[in-house]
Amino acid sequence: FLAKIWKPDTFFLNGKQSFLHKITVPNRFVRISPNGKVSYSQRLTIWAACPMNLRKFPLDSQICKLEIGSFGYSVQELIYKWQTKALSIDDGVSLAQFHLANWTYKEKLGYSGLRTRSGLRNDSTVQIDFLFERQTGFFLLQIYTPLTLIVFCSWVSFWLVKTEKGGEVPARTSLGATTVLSIVNLGFGGKSKPKVGYSTALDIYIILCFAFVFAVLVEFACINFIDTFVKRFRLWEEEQKKKKEEEEIRKTKEAEEMKQNGAVTKEVYQVAESEGGQLAVPHGADGRVSTQTRSSSPPSGTSSPPLAKSECISNVSTQDACVSTEDDFEDIEDDEKEEKESRLQCLVDAYNMIFDCLLRRCFRKYHPDIINWYIYSNTLGMLY
């Protein structure tokens, strides 16, 4: 009987898949009123397309439509209209992730996506729009709350007491690495996120949490490096001070020895006795003095004349000239060394001036008064 009654070829324009329930018989019926009105009903399950914008996921709301029209008849042959009550939904119907907040319906007359030989066809369609709001309870319990607690746990490393032996270093390192790996596993490895080509609100929150945790780990590494560098720098300064003090002590001792040696070389050579006297002869700058004995009369069998006093004086003057020449060479070497050191000091001063100007220009971009802060000058001195 149903096959003999004319029915419009109704279909869902945005439907993807559907089937008619046939348990235990096909779920459809037809009713004919005494006034000639025919009522036809059937039970269908439909999967329809619903484009979504997930940039605010999981705090988003979506509008999904269901559009009904005729496949073969145009508006000149068939017109669709809603009844007074177009839709009724049972209160017990619910979805896992969405809440049906509102729905609206309307009727449309116009060009549809169907075509004829002359172009687009003018059809009659009816449409109902469903407003779905996503339920955020699952995401708050499974993602937002754990990520927030992990970030708070990473901040515990700031309150770990510093010890002299550095016992807090392994604890801070392990805590920072553990929190970073937890964020990666929970945030980036979850299967509850939509696979879309743009970032969602959940992705941005996960990236911010990861940035906070990673910054904690990097901050500890930088502070530990600076602390170690400062300790080594102070030890190096102490060593340099000790070396400088030792150098000054050595120089003072050498100066005293040079004064003593100079006094020895300027002594007047005296002849102790006129006969068989001794002549003092210096040897170098070490102050050693040797004596030479001369007799007034030559030994028997020889005819050599006695040593004259003028010859003794000429020997002494020769030794003094040698000592003064060595001192002049040492003075020339010291002058060359001081000249080299002065040139190096000029280069270092120029480099420090350029480096200071660059740092001032760089930090002035962030704050004009940062170059006057104590931490800036202290850090700059440590870098020098």
Side-chain angles (χ1 to χ4, degrees):
F1 178 74
L2 292 175
K4 296 180 181 180
I5 298 178
W6 178 87
K7 302 180 292 296
D9 51 352
T10 304
F11 80 110
F12 295 90
L13 276 69
N14 60 333
K16 295 296 183 181
Q17 186 179 358
S18 64
F19 65 90
L20 175 67
H21 292 267
K22 296 181 180 180
I23 300 174
T24 58
V25 295
N27 299 161
R28 56 185 180 181
F29 69 90
V30 62
R31 292 178 182 175
I32 301 175
S33 302
N35 57 0
K37 184 179 179 181
V38 179
S39 176
Y40 178 78
S41 176
Q42 61 181 359
R43 184 184 176 197
L44 296 173
T45 298
I46 302 170
W47 285 269
C50 180
M52 294 184 179
N53 184 6
L54 299 175
R55 296 187 182 277
K56 296 182 180 180
F57 176 87
L59 307 175
D60 58 332
S61 58
Q62 307 294 337
I63 296 177
C64 296
K65 67 179 181 179
L66 196 61
E67 195 171 1
I68 304 171
S70 175
F71 187 78
Y73 299 100
S74 63
V75 70
Q76 289 82 11
E77 300 168 335
L78 182 63
I79 295 177
Y80 285 90
K81 290 185 178 181
W82 288 109
Q83 292 183 353
T84 305
K85 187 178 181 181
L87 179 67
S88 62
I89 300 176
D90 190 15
D91 296 335
V93 177
S94 62
L95 298 175
Q97 291 190 19
F98 291 97
H99 167 65
L100 183 58
N102 192 14
W103 54 270
T104 58
Y105 60 93
K106 58 184 176 180
E107 301 170 358
K108 295 194 302 181
L109 294 175
Y111 293 104
S112 64
L114 300 177
R115 288 179 174 271
T116 60
R117 291 182 178 179
S118 59
L120 293 176
R121 196 175 70 184
N122 192 7
D123 292 338
S124 172
T125 57
V126 289
Q127 179 178 328
I128 185 169
D129 297 329
F130 300 97
L131 176 60
F132 293 104
E133 293 180 353
R134 195 182 300 274
Q135 298 181 1
T136 59
F138 170 79
F139 300 98
L140 288 175
L141 295 176
Q142 298 294 327
I143 296 180
Y144 283 97
T145 302
L147 289 178
T148 305
L149 292 177
I150 290 172
V151 173
F152 289 163
C153 288
S154 67
W155 294 347
V156 175
S157 61
F158 295 141
W159 284 275
L160 292 178
V161 180
K162 183 178 179 181
T163 59
E164 295 180 356
K165 297 182 179 180
E168 79 284 354
V169 174
R172 288 183 175 181
T173 305
S174 59
L175 182 59
T178 302
T179 52
V180 169
L181 294 177
S182 300
I183 292 289
V184 171
N185 184 28
L186 184 60
F188 297 100
K191 298 181 180 180
S192 58
K193 298 187 299 179
K195 296 178 177 60
V196 293
Y198 48 85
S199 60
T200 62
L202 182 60
D203 294 332
I204 295 175
Y205 185 79
I206 292 172
I207 292 172
L208 288 176
C209 292
F210 180 79
F212 276 115
V213 174
F214 186 74
V216 170
L217 185 60
V218 173
E219 184 268 347
F220 167 68
C222 294
I223 294 299
N224 189 28
F225 172 76
I226 293 173
D227 185 46
T228 306
F229 178 78
V230 170
K231 288 181 180 178
R232 292 179 180 178
F233 184 75
R234 289 176 179 175
L235 291 176
W236 178 80
E237 281 186 341
E238 292 178 359
E239 292 177 358
Q240 293 296 322
K241 287 181 180 179
K242 290 181 180 179
K243 288 182 180 180
K244 189 178 291 185
E245 292 176 357
E246 293 176 357
E247 186 70 19
E248 290 178 356
I249 294 172
R250 186 180 63 82
K251 287 182 178 180
T252 53
K253 288 183 179 180
E254 290 180 355
E256 292 176 357
E257 291 178 357
M258 291 294 293
K259 288 180 180 179
Q260 294 177 359
N261 294 335
V264 171
T265 55
K266 292 181 181 178
E267 290 181 354
V268 180
Y269 297 95
Q270 298 177 357
V271 179
E273 296 177 356
S274 61
E275 294 182 359
Q278 295 180 350
L279 177 64
V281 179
H283 295 279
D286 54 354
R288 292 184 295 106
V289 179
S290 62
T291 59
Q292 296 182 359
T293 306
R294 67 178 181 84
S295 61
S296 58
S297 61
S300 61
T302 60
S303 61
S304 59
L307 184 63
K309 188 175 181 181
S310 60
E311 294 178 358
C312 297
I313 294 173
S314 64
N315 290 331
V316 173
S317 62
T318 303
Q319 295 292 335
D320 291 339
C322 294
V323 172
S324 62
T325 304
E326 292 177 357
D327 293 338
D328 293 337
F329 281 127
E330 290 179 358
D331 294 337
I332 292 172
E333 291 178 357
D334 293 338
D335 294 338
E336 292 178 353
K337 188 174 180 180
E338 290 178 356
E339 185 177 357
K340 291 181 180 179
E341 290 179 354
S342 63
R343 291 178 181 176
L344 291 175
Q345 187 63 33
C346 292
L347 291 175
V348 171
D349 294 338
Y351 170 74
N352 290 337
M353 187 180 298
I354 294 172
F355 187 65
D356 191 13
C357 292
L358 291 176
L359 285 180
R360 286 174 179 272
R361 182 174 296 179
C362 179
F363 283 108
R364 194 178 289 113
K365 295 179 180 179
Y366 301 99
H367 197 280
D369 297 333
I370 194 171
I371 59 176
N372 300 323
W373 293 353
Y374 173 74
I375 187 172
Y376 170 78
S377 59
N378 194 12
T379 306
L380 193 62
M382 184 185 65
L383 291 175
Y384 287 156

